[in-house]
Amino acid sequence: MTKISFDMVVQNNMGVGITGALWRNEDLEMGRVPCIAMHAFCDTPETASAIEIAATDRRMSRATVNVMAGGIPAAVRFYQKTPTPDLIVIESKEPPDRLLQQLDALAAVCDASSKIVVIGASNDIRLYRELVNRDVSEYILAPVEPLSVIATVSRIYRSTNATQLGKVYAFVGAKGGVGSSTVAHNIAWSIGQRFDTAVLLIDMDLAFGTVGLNFDCDPTKGIADVVGNPDRLDEAMFERLLTKCGNHLNLLTAPLALDKSYDFDEGAFEQMLDIARSNFPYVVLDVPHLWTAWAKKTLFMADELVITAMPDLPNLTGAKHLVDTFKLLRPLDAAPKVVLNQVGVAKRPEIKPKKFAEALQLEPIMSIASDPKLFGQAENVGKIVCESSAKSKAAKGFSELAQKITGRKELKPARSGGLSSLFGRAGSGQREKEKQDGPRDAA
């Protein structure tokens, strides 16, 4: 689907023209939209539907969106009696001259602080120039897609000197005890080491979390202080609660205390994640296997979901529930990524990876072989595999998995070798694709 972007105007042999840009998910720079009021006045049900779908997306969760019919004439009538919101989106199928007349009428009843987005039918550079002269924030050619609506609103409210927001990766198990925490901890370490960048690992299992144990650090401070003091939470307080681990990894540990229950409101971690994203390019969440309001909201708000599962029927059932649920909750996002863990346990009946993928209707991005001795030794000395056995096949496998999950290329070429015995078919197919196409850079 091709949309015309007026961000780039080029000079060609025929004179000045408008260059089109192909909207793709990975090309859309979509930060979270701030707390704004947005009204949309649509001429067609298709545009109204696209905006309504966009309004349900996690990136638009802070915005209050009201969609109405009638286009510009309805907006003029409405604002004769009602103050204008932060953002007005109007659709018009009128020709350029008539559209500009209607916009002048709208300007007469609008506050100067309100931003305007126009959805129109004319691919005309002269119209665009007239809209710029009238301080219109953006012009989009109909028909519009929900993702393009989100990208447009995000771009309007993204300051030119704003801090680049990091990406949040939430790891959760298809059931308890499948090794989701082990995967999350090793991936967080691998991202920092492989890409030479800062990473924040947050342990969200406040009662039984293992981040402090696996990285041999004091869990007396951390995430409980953040959640327990939302009114005092700022960047300075947040920084004091972090534990540095190595050159790249920062930890927010769990208290491991059972003197109180950890029943939180839905948005209990929202401010914490906002601060984390504004200070770290990568944020890894170790989310416990439970289904509370705050856990559901945290998974919903993450940029990427990674589900760890073992190859048996209970895990397949749990993974299927999670995948289907988040396809419904996050229809504009990619499907969750699935990692098969502890594959090949001796004498244990297992579902073959191919059958698991068919039943799940989603191909796992990697299969991790069972190696209880290696992982057990690491746990007993308070370290993760990537730190205690950096040259092991498992550590190399986690490094490759970090690349698959983030979509980034490594800074330095990693030595190949020996991954087939640790990782199954899900990894080998992707490696073959990367040999041909090269791994995709992060959007």
Side-chain angles (χ1 to χ4, degrees):
M1 53 187 175
T2 303
K3 303 291 183 208
I4 300 299
S5 170
F6 289 103
D7 291 333
M8 187 187 304
V9 180
V10 297
Q11 182 77 35
N12 55 33
N13 294 333
M14 301 297 292
V16 177
I18 304 166
T19 182
L22 180 63
W23 288 102
R24 298 180 300 179
N25 285 9
E26 59 267 31
D27 294 333
L28 300 179
E29 297 182 12
M30 293 181 286
R32 196 172 178 197
V33 174
C35 298
I36 61 168
M38 170 179 154
H39 292 173
F41 292 86
C42 306
D43 263 349
T44 63
E46 292 78 14
T47 297
S49 176
I51 296 175
E52 287 171 347
I53 293 172
T56 66
D57 186 79
R58 59 185 172 85
R59 288 155 288 216
M60 294 280 289
S61 62
R62 289 180 172 177
T64 302
V65 182
N66 190 4
V67 181
M68 293 166 271
I72 301 179
V76 173
R77 293 191 298 270
F78 187 79
Y79 294 126
Q80 286 173 347
K81 300 179 181 179
T82 306
T84 53
D86 303 293
L87 177 64
I88 304 171
V89 179
I90 50 98
E91 181 188 20
S92 176
K93 297 184 290 184
E94 299 289 347
D97 291 343
R98 179 60 179 159
L99 170 59
L100 294 174
Q101 291 175 6
Q102 290 183 341
L103 282 176
D104 290 339
L106 179 62
V109 296
C110 280
D111 296 334
S113 60
S114 296
K115 300 180 184 297
I116 306 290
V117 172
V118 178
I119 301 172
S122 299
N123 183 3
D124 187 342
I125 188 62
R126 289 172 297 179
L127 171 62
Y128 172 67
R129 288 171 174 163
E130 289 294 335
L131 294 175
V132 170
N133 290 335
R134 286 166 168 79
D135 292 326
V136 169
S137 298
E138 193 80 49
Y139 179 82
I140 311 174
L141 271 182
V144 297
E145 299 288 341
L147 282 174
S148 63
V149 172
I150 299 168
T152 297
V153 177
S154 175
R155 184 165 55 247
I156 289 173
Y157 286 94
R158 186 176 65 238
S159 172
T160 55
N161 60 355
T163 302
Q164 181 68 36
L165 294 179
K167 295 194 72 174
V168 176
Y169 299 85
F171 288 73
V172 66
K175 64 185 293 290
V178 299
S180 176
S181 293
T182 299
V183 174
H185 301 174
N186 281 277
I187 291 302
W189 176 272
S190 298
I191 290 173
Q193 295 297 316
R194 185 160 193 169
F195 307 136
D196 193 26
T197 188
V199 182
L200 174 60
L201 172 60
I202 302 178
D203 193 342
M204 304 192 78
D205 189 350
L206 276 72
F208 302 103
T210 56
V211 165
L213 181 64
N214 286 345
F215 290 95
D216 194 22
C217 66
D218 183 9
T220 57
K221 62 178 184 178
I223 192 171
D225 300 270
V226 172
V227 180
N229 299 280
D231 296 334
R232 298 194 298 113
L233 180 60
D234 56 20
E235 291 193 3
M237 177 185 177
F238 187 80
E239 185 176 357
R240 288 196 302 269
L241 298 174
L242 299 180
T243 300
K244 185 74 175 177
C245 185
N247 295 327
H248 306 294
L249 187 61
N250 295 266
L251 309 176
L252 195 55
T253 58
L256 303 182
L258 301 179
D259 57 338
K260 59 181 179 180
S261 61
Y262 299 104
D263 302 321
F264 301 119
D265 295 333
E266 180 183 81
F269 296 91
E270 194 167 347
Q271 186 178 359
M272 177 199 73
L273 291 179
D274 285 344
I275 295 176
R277 292 186 65 196
S278 64
N279 285 275
F280 290 91
Y282 294 95
V283 180
V284 174
L285 306 181
D286 181 5
V287 183
H289 179 74
L290 46 77
W291 198 248
T292 62
W294 67 263
K296 179 180 177 182
K297 181 66 176 291
T298 299
L299 294 171
F300 172 75
M301 294 303 300
D303 294 294
E304 296 281 354
L305 299 178
V306 182
I307 300 170
T308 302
M310 292 166 58
D312 59 27
L313 184 58
N315 276 270
L316 175 58
T317 302
K320 181 67 172 173
H321 284 327
L322 286 171
V323 169
D324 291 347
T325 296
F326 284 103
K327 281 182 178 179
L328 291 174
L329 291 177
R330 298 158 50 104
L332 303 181
D333 284 283
K337 293 178 171 62
V338 176
V339 175
L340 284 180
N341 192 27
Q342 301 181 40
V343 175
V345 175
K347 299 182 180 180
R348 182 183 69 182
E350 293 183 346
I351 300 175
K352 297 297 183 183
K354 183 178 180 180
K355 295 293 185 180
F356 197 98
E358 290 175 354
L360 193 61
Q361 296 182 334
L362 183 67
E363 188 75 24
I365 61 170
M366 196 163 279
S367 297
I368 304 176
S370 173
D371 193 340
K373 181 179 179 179
L374 178 69
F375 286 89
Q377 288 176 340
E379 289 179 352
N380 286 339
V381 296
K383 293 184 178 181
I384 58 170
V385 167
C386 287
E387 184 182 10
S388 64
S389 305
K391 295 183 179 180
S392 66
K393 294 177 181 178
K396 294 177 183 178
F398 280 120
S399 181
E400 181 181 341
L401 184 55
Q403 179 178 328
K404 293 177 181 294
I405 289 172
T406 61
R408 277 195 57 175
K409 294 179 181 178
E410 59 185 331
L411 293 180
K412 297 179 181 180
R415 294 180 181 178
S416 61
L419 295 182
S420 59
S421 60
L422 177 71
F423 296 90
R425 308 177 72 160
S428 61
Q430 178 69 14
R431 288 195 297 276
E432 288 301 317
K433 186 178 188 300
E434 289 179 357
K435 287 178 182 179
Q436 301 173 9
D437 303 333
R440 182 176 62 85
D441 281 320

